[in-house]
Amino acid sequence: MQRTILGRTNLEVSRIGLGTGGASQIGRRTGLNEEQSADLLRRAFDRGVNFVDTAEGYHTEPIVGRALRGRDRSSIVISTKKSTRNLKVTPQTLHASLDQSLNQLGTDYIDLYNLHGVVPQDYPQLVADIYPALQEAQRQGKIRFVGLSEMFNEDPDHTMLQQALSDGCWDVLMVGFNILNQTAREKVLIKAKTQNIGIQIM
């Protein structure tokens, strides 16, 4: 499995990561039980995939935690996300969600903690009120790096991520980039590369 460095995090990750959301949610929506879904993750790990992406909104964090049991924690890079869309996020709710994610994942730290589905109109408040809470969690050793994911269907021009790139405080950005819409190439990806910001493609 080919690996790469995830921007300025210096985390070495497999070029192909394993997502646990989407239409399938690692088989949970197509008839697999939790143990069968966890086994899919174990098989991927055994074949060299070392990057797994989950989120509180996917309800798959416990399955990731099950797959990690008995495995060298430092060998797997975990990315999870705190939901923000149509929610009032405060430092208190962020810390509560983070602690719940840590518990469900069965780990004492998360490699990459993202604000999930951020839209342009919410971004200023999240930077002002929530980014300091993320920094506090970093100081506590609960998270290593911070990132954002966009709400691609609502923000196809990547307005929020362009704001985030101007701020320069995020380690990783999760961007919508596919065969039907490649606008991120010019609006996000090139600038992110010059800033050595890690990119997750969704």
Side-chain angles (χ1 to χ4, degrees):
M1 175 66 65
Q2 292 184 346
R3 296 198 173 184
T4 188
I5 300 299
L6 187 60
R8 63 191 183 203
T9 69
N10 286 323
L11 295 170
E12 187 178 60
V13 297
S14 50
R15 286 189 176 274
I16 298 174
L18 192 59
T20 65
S24 168
Q25 293 189 338
I26 46 176
R28 295 293 290 130
R29 289 186 175 174
T30 57
L32 297 188
N33 61 38
E34 286 198 4
E35 180 58 25
Q36 290 170 321
S37 292
D39 194 50
L40 286 177
L41 291 171
R42 294 185 196 105
R43 292 182 187 190
F45 297 155
D46 290 343
R47 285 159 177 78
V49 174
N50 78 328
F51 184 86
V52 59
D53 177 79
T54 185
E56 67 173 1
Y58 300 163
H59 308 292
T60 52
E61 289 177 333
I63 297 171
V64 175
R66 181 185 290 228
L68 289 171
R69 288 179 199 154
R71 195 172 291 267
D72 176 8
R73 169 66 184 86
S74 66
S75 69
I76 305 296
V77 175
I78 299 174
S79 168
T80 194
K81 302 186 280 296
K82 164 64 186 156
S83 299
T84 65
R85 190 70 183 109
N86 298 319
L87 295 172
K88 180 168 176 56
V89 183
T90 67
Q92 293 75 25
T93 61
L94 179 119
H95 284 295
S97 293
L98 173 57
D99 288 342
Q100 182 177 28
S101 291
L102 288 165
N103 182 59
Q104 293 193 65
L105 290 163
T107 184
D108 57 2
Y109 71 95
I110 291 166
D111 299 287
L112 173 58
Y113 195 68
N114 302 274
L115 300 181
H116 192 186
V118 178
V119 291
Q121 60 267 32
D122 292 344
Y123 180 78
Q125 180 266 326
L126 292 170
V127 171
D129 298 340
I130 304 305
Y131 183 72
L134 293 170
Q135 291 179 303
E136 180 183 353
Q138 285 180 298
R139 288 191 294 270
Q140 294 170 344
K142 293 182 178 182
I143 57 176
R144 298 176 68 190
F145 302 100
V146 295
L148 295 169
S149 75
E150 66 180 348
M151 187 66 76
F152 179 60
N153 290 341
E154 293 186 35
D155 184 17
D157 290 326
H158 317 284
T159 303
M160 183 279 296
L161 287 183
Q162 292 179 74
Q163 293 174 340
L165 284 166
S166 296
D167 288 342
C169 54
W170 307 99
D171 300 308
V172 177
L173 303 176
M174 193 171 192
V175 58
F177 180 71
N178 55 61
I179 197 166
L180 297 178
N181 189 330
Q182 299 192 8
T183 56
R185 186 185 309 279
E186 297 295 327
K187 295 184 176 181
V188 178
L189 301 182
I190 293 173
K191 188 171 182 180
K193 185 174 181 179
T194 64
Q195 295 182 23
N196 200 26
I197 295 175
I199 290 291
Q200 283 180 256
I201 301 294
M202 60 175 160

